[in-house]
């Protein structure tokens, strides 16, 4: 007789567990919007923006349609376009260089630090040199707080100042993290985030936000997200776009933000538990006493020859993994013609071959995590 054993698949990110916790509060929040019917620019958008500012300390929080639109709106507001270079890491999600290319500017790829996966401060100047050699004007530096850990802004700032680079923090993965007690949203002159459902603070569709203390920039972005609106709806003072955050998504986020601090604590506990249990078999992620991470991904490194076998062994035991990012941006078909920092990006290339992310979310219980830990250890010991 054939025996079929059903493997219990562990979710990579368990959005449903959070949904169960929020229960009727989310139903009621969405219901209030479907009652008042102000689906665009409804009262919940302003309410969320105030709550986000209170949470992160930025003077202005501006709800927008996605993390990508947030980056595009910032670049548009700063007048960055053709002939300008924006330095950004290659080891990031496509949206970072994509936003630069969308406004007609040129992404110039820089190196990341092997330990933190974030912009390597010393590598910025090699990217500036590559931009200048290509006849471009280096205008901005887009830092990316990869996997939820803030970049090293103290080290980045003097180099950015020296080359007059405007720092844009792409914190799509890191909203809620801190550096020396200062929250994401206040570490750079402007910060963007994503509320994509799988993000640490996610909504039930697409959404994003821009954070800044700069009043003039905030005004311009508010106008740009609404077709370049001036004093009223039919006064168009600049070319903009449909870049607003939906009222229903704002209503969802208001409820989710209330439990977010608690979820950040849970994520940190789970990450530290993984680190303690896996440090002798894989290269575990960097833990810092000065920075907190919101663990958008829990990413370890194994030698490139063992990664696929590890993923396959885990999958056979019902444990999903992901590779963020197996092909760095400068190797992607869409981006391979853009300049790369002088000397190339050897660390980025190495990381792309070694990284593997394990299930991570605030509702990962100890027995499930132990199952994952046991499977990783078993696979690598075999
Ligand atoms: C680093 C980074 N930047 C930007 C984005 C874009 O966010 P969105 O998907 O909301 O457009 C993402 C989304 O995954 C991201 O990871």
């Amino acid at each position: 007789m054939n025996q079929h054993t059903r493997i219990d698949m562990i979710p990579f990110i368990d959005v449903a567990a959070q949904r169960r916790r929020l229960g009727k509060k989310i139903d009621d929040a969405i219901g209030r919007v479907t009652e008042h019917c102000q689906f665009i620019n409804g009262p919940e958008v302003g309410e969320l923006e105030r709550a986000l500012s209170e949470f992160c300390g930025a003077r202005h929080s501006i709800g927008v349609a996605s993390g990508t639109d947030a980056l595009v709106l910032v670049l548009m507001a700063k007048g960055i376009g053709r002939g300008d270079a924006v330095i950004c890491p290659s080891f990031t999600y496509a949206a970072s260089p994509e936003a630069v290319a969308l406004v007609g500017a040129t992404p110039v790829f820089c190196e990341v630090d092997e330990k933190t996966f974030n912009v390597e401060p010393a590598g910025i100047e090699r990217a500036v040199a590559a931009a200048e050699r290509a006849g471009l004007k280096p205008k901005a530096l887009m830092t990316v707080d990869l996997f939820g850990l803030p970049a090293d802004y103290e080290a980045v700032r003097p180099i950015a100042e020296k080359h007059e680079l405007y720092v844009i923090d792409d914190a799509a993965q890191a909203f809620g993290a801190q550096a020396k007690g200062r929250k994401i949203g206040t570490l750079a002159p402007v910060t963007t985030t994503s509320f994509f459902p799988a993000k640490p603070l996610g909504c039930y569709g697409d959404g994003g936000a821009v954070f800044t203390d700069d009043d003039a920039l905030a005004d311009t972005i508010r106008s740009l997200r609404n077709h370049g609106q001036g004093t009223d709806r039919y006064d168009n003072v600049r070319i903009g776009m449909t870049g607003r955050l939906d009222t229903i998504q704002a209503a969802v986020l208001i409820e989710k933000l209330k439990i977010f601090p608690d979820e950040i604590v849970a994520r940190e506990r789970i990450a530290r538990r993984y680190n303690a249990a896996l440090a002798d078999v894989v290269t575990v992620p960097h833990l810092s006493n000065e920075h907190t991470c919101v663990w958008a991904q829990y990413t370890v490194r194994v030698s490139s020859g063992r990664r696929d076998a590890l993923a396959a062994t885990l999958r056979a035991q019902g444990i999903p993994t992901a590779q963020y990012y197996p092909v760095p941006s400068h190797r992607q078909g869409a981006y391979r013609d853009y300049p790369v920092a002088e000397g190339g990006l050897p660390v980025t290339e190495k990381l792309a071959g070694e990284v593997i992310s394990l299930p991570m979310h605030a509702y990962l219980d100890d027995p499930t995590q132990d199952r994952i830990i046991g499977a990783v250890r078993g696979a690598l010991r075999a």
Side-chain angles (χ1 to χ4, degrees):
M1 197 175 87
N2 282 337
Q3 292 238 325
H4 295 282
T5 323
R6 250 192 82 239
I7 299 170
D8 173 21
M9 268 312 269
I10 292 172
F12 190 68
I13 292 176
D14 197 349
V15 179
Q18 186 200 50
R19 172 73 186 96
R20 286 193 293 278
R21 172 179 176 183
L22 289 163
K24 199 169 168 317
K25 288 189 180 127
I26 285 279
D27 300 337
D28 291 348
I30 294 172
R32 283 191 291 277
V33 180
T34 56
E35 275 298 307
H36 68 51
C37 291
Q38 294 178 61
F39 300 115
I40 303 294
N41 292 338
E44 283 80 0
V45 176
E47 192 186 324
L48 172 71
E49 290 177 340
R50 285 187 291 280
L52 289 170
S53 280
E54 200 170 307
F55 175 85
C56 76
R59 187 151 59 205
H60 301 280
S61 298
I62 306 159
V64 298
S66 69
T68 309
D69 280 0
L71 290 169
V72 169
L73 287 161
V74 167
L75 293 162
M76 287 168 77
K78 294 303 291 182
I80 292 172
R82 207 153 296 285
D84 297 334
V86 177
I87 291 158
C88 78
S90 169
F91 196 57
T92 179
Y93 183 59
S96 318
E98 182 182 53
V100 177
L102 278 172
V103 298
T106 302
V108 177
F109 295 112
C110 68
E111 186 60 294
V112 290
D113 177 88
E114 185 163 353
K115 218 166 59 175
T116 64
F117 307 133
N118 284 328
V119 168
E120 184 211 15
I124 297 169
E125 300 207 307
R126 288 190 281 113
V128 169
E132 285 170 346
R133 181 167 297 200
L136 300 162
K137 169 96 191 74
K139 280 276 182 70
L141 168 70
M142 187 182 285
T143 52
V144 180
D145 307 316
L146 206 72
F147 305 147
L149 180 73
D152 185 352
Y153 289 92
E154 276 185 8
V156 158
R157 208 167 290 128
I159 303 166
E161 277 169 12
K162 180 176 160 199
H163 294 281
E164 297 180 14
L165 298 171
Y166 183 72
V167 181
I168 301 168
D169 175 6
D170 176 357
Q173 303 182 8
F175 188 66
Q178 303 185 24
K180 295 192 175 168
R182 287 180 61 189
K183 287 218 175 92
I184 287 282
T186 63
L187 304 179
V190 70
T191 303
T192 62
T193 200
S194 165
F195 298 131
F196 182 81
K199 293 287 188 265
L201 179 63
C203 56
Y204 287 170
D206 280 310
V210 179
F211 306 96
T212 186
D213 283 353
D214 180 336
D215 298 341
L217 180 69
D219 280 351
T220 307
I221 290 172
R222 288 201 174 94
S223 162
L224 284 170
R225 75 172 169 179
N226 215 3
H227 299 288
Q229 186 174 306
T231 47
D232 67 56
R233 195 186 295 186
Y234 300 107
D235 175 32
N236 304 106
V237 295
R238 53 176 67 81
I239 303 208
M241 59 195 256
T242 308
R244 301 166 298 235
L245 179 70
D246 287 354
T247 312
I248 286 182
Q249 299 305 342
V252 167
L253 285 163
I254 289 167
E255 294 309 315
K256 288 210 185 188
L257 187 59
K258 291 177 190 162
I259 61 166
F260 190 41
D262 179 41
E263 291 181 332
I264 293 172
V265 172
R267 283 171 176 276
E268 177 70 10
R269 191 187 76 82
I270 291 162
R272 285 184 182 266
R273 206 164 172 271
Y274 264 142
N275 265 34
L278 295 175
D280 60 331
V281 288
V282 295
T283 306
V284 292
H286 172 69
L287 293 178
S288 156
N289 291 327
E290 296 188 327
H291 291 36
T292 63
C293 181
V294 284
W295 303 102
Q297 301 299 340
Y298 180 82
T299 302
V300 300
R301 288 165 55 199
V302 293
S303 61
S304 53
R306 305 186 78 186
R307 183 170 64 176
D308 288 351
L310 173 63
T313 307
L314 294 182
R315 197 178 319 113
Q317 295 176 55
I319 299 166
T321 58
Q323 293 173 11
Y324 301 113
Y325 298 92
V327 181
S329 308
H330 72 288
R331 296 274 176 217
Q332 297 282 353
Y335 299 101
R336 66 166 70 106
D337 293 333
Y338 288 114
V340 164
E342 291 191 347
L345 306 175
V347 174
T348 296
E349 309 260 1
K350 182 166 184 268
L351 290 176
E354 295 182 351
V355 286
I356 180 163
S357 305
L358 302 177
M360 164 53 87
H361 56 85
Y363 302 92
L364 188 62
D365 59 33
D366 288 358
T368 310
Q369 191 180 14
D370 289 341
R371 191 176 135 199
I372 299 165
I373 291 166
V376 172
R377 296 188 65 82
L380 292 172
R381 287 239 169 103

